[in-house]
Amino acid sequence: MNLGISILFTQPQAKPPSLFSFMSPFAWEVWIYIAVAFLSVSFILFLVARITPYEWDSPLPCIANPEKLYNQFNLANSFWFTIGSILQQGSDLAPKAVSTRIIAGTWWFFTLIMVSSYTANLATFLIVQELEESFKNLEELANSKIDYGCVANGSTSKFFSSSQNPVKQRIWENMKRKGEIVLKTSNDEGINSVRARPGKFAFFMESTIIEYHMERKCGITQVGGLLDHKGYGIALPKDSPYLDFFNSKILKMQENGKLDELKRKWWKEEGKEASETCPTTSVSDSVKALSLSNVGVLDYV
């Protein structure tokens, strides 16, 4: 069974939705592109409508030869036409010339693709919340304001104190400076500290013990990978006649998957009976009603 030192921490919580979470389906550069396209098409439509003679009409149909002609696509109406297309509402304006119809058709096709893409992604971004992770690896933990510790005078503390890695040396100096506040007498005390100070304390311990307690206690998780690699072994007297026997049997159990089966039995299956009752999310709860924070900017509008 392979193991190593890892980090025990509280489970990350969902980030609160931002005021402009409705803009999440598109990146900022896409929104800028849409704004530039909106302004450009509006100006082009205005200019082409002024140039083509087919957009100029008599203000009074009863007058055959009026002194002045009227063009429906003034600057304000050009912007109104394009914004109505984006919002899928349309307008009372209808282009008459072939040139303005080509511009309008191209713009409608553009808005069809963009609005469809936005709508398809909107539900996911409003309902599925991103987890707020305090750190992802050892270096980020060392640079954070989170306290961390381990069992005093144990193999984990020896690992940090003898390490030549600058990050691990800095972590050990910090733990040694804080003393009994972070250096615990047992793993259980460290686990209780992690749960008592959610998001403010991390504990270094062996990964297999972390996995064992994760199946039995709520609100804790393993962060990052292993800081070192080692394996469990069985101690026998020197020159023991049973050495080859144990080696061959352990190797055979590893090859036929018996060790994995035993770990699954005592870590997961037995853990279900001894575990705490943790809040779970059922399938029916996976889709929740949107709160005011999800559409907060619309309330201000």
Side-chain angles (χ1 to χ4, degrees):
M1 184 184 298
N2 296 323
L3 69 149
I5 298 173
S6 191
I7 307 171
L8 180 70
F9 197 59
T10 51
Q11 289 182 344
Q13 302 297 320
K15 289 183 179 180
S18 64
L19 188 63
F20 295 95
S21 57
F22 73 95
M23 300 183 70
S24 300
F26 288 155
W28 283 107
E29 54 266 23
V30 177
W31 286 111
I32 295 174
Y33 170 75
I34 293 175
V36 172
F38 162 69
L39 295 174
S40 302
V41 171
S42 300
F43 277 114
I44 293 174
L45 182 63
F46 167 72
L47 293 176
V48 173
R50 308 297 287 186
I51 295 173
T52 177
Y54 299 103
E55 291 294 346
W56 293 91
D57 294 319
S58 173
L60 299 174
C62 58
I63 301 177
N65 297 311
E67 296 181 359
K68 293 182 179 181
L69 296 178
Y70 168 75
N71 192 319
Q72 62 177 345
F73 282 104
N74 55 33
L75 190 58
N77 284 347
S78 298
F79 279 101
W80 181 251
F81 178 82
T82 51
I83 195 66
S85 302
I86 294 179
L87 300 178
Q88 303 288 287
Q89 296 301 312
S91 65
D92 294 336
L93 305 174
K96 300 175 182 178
V98 175
S99 55
T100 52
R101 287 183 177 182
I102 292 175
I103 296 173
T106 305
W107 177 248
W108 288 338
F109 180 75
F110 171 80
T111 56
L112 173 65
I113 300 301
M114 299 305 295
V115 172
S116 299
S117 302
Y118 176 83
T119 306
N121 292 330
L122 180 62
T124 302
F125 278 93
L126 290 182
I127 296 176
V128 179
Q129 294 181 330
E130 185 180 358
L131 296 179
E132 188 173 14
E133 296 179 328
S134 302
F135 62 94
K136 297 180 181 179
N137 50 51
L138 184 67
E139 187 172 356
E140 291 183 5
L141 175 61
N143 295 328
S144 68
K145 297 181 179 180
I146 299 173
D147 289 333
Y148 43 80
C150 63
V151 175
N153 301 320
S155 59
T156 303
S157 62
K158 182 67 175 177
F159 167 77
F160 283 102
S161 62
S162 60
S163 176
Q164 301 299 318
N165 184 283
V167 177
K168 295 174 184 176
Q169 287 180 346
R170 180 152 49 95
I171 286 178
W172 171 245
E173 292 298 329
N174 191 21
M175 290 191 295
K176 188 169 61 173
R177 185 177 65 255
K178 294 185 179 181
E180 296 181 355
I181 299 177
V182 297
L183 295 176
K184 308 299 181 179
T185 57
S186 65
N187 285 328
D188 289 337
E189 185 181 355
I191 296 172
N192 293 334
S193 298
V194 171
R195 302 181 71 188
R197 301 171 58 189
K200 297 181 179 180
F201 183 76
F203 192 70
F204 297 105
M205 58 193 299
E206 292 182 348
S207 59
T208 50
I209 304 179
I210 293 178
E211 294 172 5
Y212 182 85
H213 286 284
M214 282 172 55
E215 297 294 333
R216 290 158 174 78
K217 294 180 172 63
C218 304
I220 57 176
T221 187
Q222 177 179 331
V223 179
L226 303 181
L227 305 182
D228 65 340
H229 296 275
K230 51 197 172 188
Y232 282 122
I234 299 176
L236 295 174
K238 187 177 181 180
D239 300 326
S240 172
Y242 302 106
L243 180 61
D244 294 336
F245 173 80
F246 274 92
N247 285 338
S248 61
K249 290 300 181 180
I250 292 175
L251 182 61
K252 184 177 180 179
M253 292 175 65
Q254 188 175 16
E255 291 176 348
N256 60 23
K258 186 64 177 180
L259 289 180
D260 293 333
E261 181 182 341
L262 290 173
K263 181 181 179 181
R264 184 167 54 254
K265 174 183 178 181
W266 294 104
W267 262 250
K268 295 185 178 296
E269 296 176 5
E270 294 294 330
K272 293 179 180 179
E273 300 179 0
S275 62
E276 302 173 349
T277 303
C278 302
T280 58
T281 302
S282 62
V283 176
S284 59
D285 294 335
S286 59
V287 179
K288 299 180 180 180
L290 298 179
S291 63
L292 289 177
S293 57
N294 292 106
V295 291
V297 71
L298 302 181
D299 297 329
Y300 289 102
V301 174

